[in-house]
Amino acid sequence: MKNLERYRRSIKSEALSSVLLLICTISALCIANSSYEGIYNKIIFDNLFFRFPLNEFINDFFNVFLLFKCRARN
């Protein structure tokens, strides 16, 4: 019974994170294709965060996060 409850909670949390990711993706696409394109590009591509462009920092952060998540499952 405890395993079933744990499984249900994990499905709810995965569904919530999937919906949040979908909302963020749609928002980014809408902003990038609107009149705010210049501001969006300046924030994402020209902003330096720890001496790296923000898009590279986000990409590297999520790659490391996924690597540790996969290692934790094994």
Side-chain angles (χ1 to χ4, degrees):
M1 196 66 167
K2 287 184 179 183
N3 288 336
L4 181 62
E5 185 62 33
R6 187 179 306 153
Y7 178 72
R8 286 181 182 165
R9 276 187 283 156
S10 71
I11 287 185
K12 285 181 184 178
S13 91
E14 288 178 10
L16 180 64
S17 62
S18 298
V19 169
L20 181 63
L21 180 62
L22 185 63
I23 290 170
C24 290
T25 302
I26 292 171
S27 305
L29 285 171
C30 290
I31 293 170
N33 292 312
S34 70
S35 61
Y36 298 110
E37 177 187 8
I39 297 169
Y40 176 79
N41 286 334
K42 185 169 179 72
I43 291 170
I44 297 297
F45 297 109
D46 296 339
N47 192 5
L48 294 180
F49 192 73
F50 292 120
R51 297 186 319 228
F52 295 107
L54 187 60
N55 65 328
E56 290 181 18
F57 180 79
I58 292 171
N59 187 24
D60 291 344
F61 174 78
F62 281 117
N63 281 331
V64 169
F65 176 74
L66 290 174
L67 175 72
F68 282 119
K69 188 173 182 179
C70 288
R71 298 268 182 195
R73 283 191 175 181
N74 293 334

